[in-house]
Amino acid sequence: MDISTRRLWRTRFFLVPLLLALFFLPAVVQATDDTHTVRRGENLNEIAQRYDVTVRELLSVNTIANPNWIYPGQVLVIPEHNGGENEDDPDESGEEAATAGETYVVRAGDSLFKIARRYEVTLAALRQANNLYHTSLIYPGQQLTIPNAGSAPAAEGAADSGQTPQSSAPPKQIVVDKSDQRAYVYENGQLRWTFIVSTGMPGSETWEGTFQVRSKIPNAYAYLWGLQMPYWLGFYHTGYLENGFHALPIMSNGAILWEGYLGTPVSYGCVILSYADAETLYHWAAIGTEVVVRP
């Protein structure tokens, strides 16, 4: 084979893949309109809010078992959303949507706690006005009646002000405040304990919303990480896994993981307490105890 023939074959060797890439390029670019590439520090809650979809929809479309397991560079498919025309400004339209005694239309990303705080009513009063005694589940498009404004956005207001709690207040309630890394434990509307906790680290944040204690295990075991989790109180599922309250985890070599870091978000989504506080909470809480996680 002479030199000119070799050059011709080399040209063809490089040209054919280039032409194929150019041929398929429009399809690739078009597909990115329905996808999102995960950036460092992002989580599914933030991505869902950005595209006005639910975390559940993202989990389903992308076949993600654990919402805490996403990584920078991962490409997520964004499901279609058939929302209204005014959903770009949920805060503004939400504030004007209802006053006391009127109705509010639930939007994607709402929770009962957020709605109660927005209209300065108690969570218990909002539940009672809408016959939600045994559930905290709400859905986009649902119409909620806004009761008369109270003195505080949550049950702890009655305890702080010294008022007699309403009869509709949950008998037992745990409020986790991620902003100050504390858990406030209420019984019949009265504050009983305040515990220092550690919630999920950036990228593995503890989910916000209203939940219930679903499981109690004296010493749970995390097979994925080889950790013992004493005094387990599970309160929400992340795919096939469950997150909950537990004492500082114990590694296979007997060392205490995250010891000395309570009060700092360091967990994989669970709410971590000291051994003594976790034991106290475990023996006090029952299955069905309300758990509120707020920003």
Side-chain angles (χ1 to χ4, degrees), residues 83-98:
E85 296 179 356
N86 297 324
E87 292 186 347
D88 291 336
D89 298 311
D91 291 336
E92 293 183 7
S93 55
E95 292 292 346
E96 299 174 358

Side-chain angles (χ1 to χ4, degrees), residues 164-215:
T164 301
Q166 298 182 7
S167 59
S168 58
K172 291 186 176 183
Q173 183 188 55
I174 308 168
V175 178
V176 177
D177 195 322
K178 292 164 62 176
S179 66
D180 64 3
Q181 296 291 286
R182 296 291 189 277
Y184 300 93
V185 182
Y186 297 92
E187 188 165 355
N188 296 319
Q190 299 294 325
L191 180 63
R192 184 162 184 178
W193 297 296
T194 299
F195 298 139
I196 299 175
V197 301
S198 286
T199 58
M201 69 180 75
S204 299
E205 285 87 350
T206 304
W207 288 11
E208 298 166 9
T210 303
F211 313 92
Q212 291 181 340
V213 173
R214 305 163 58 100
S215 62

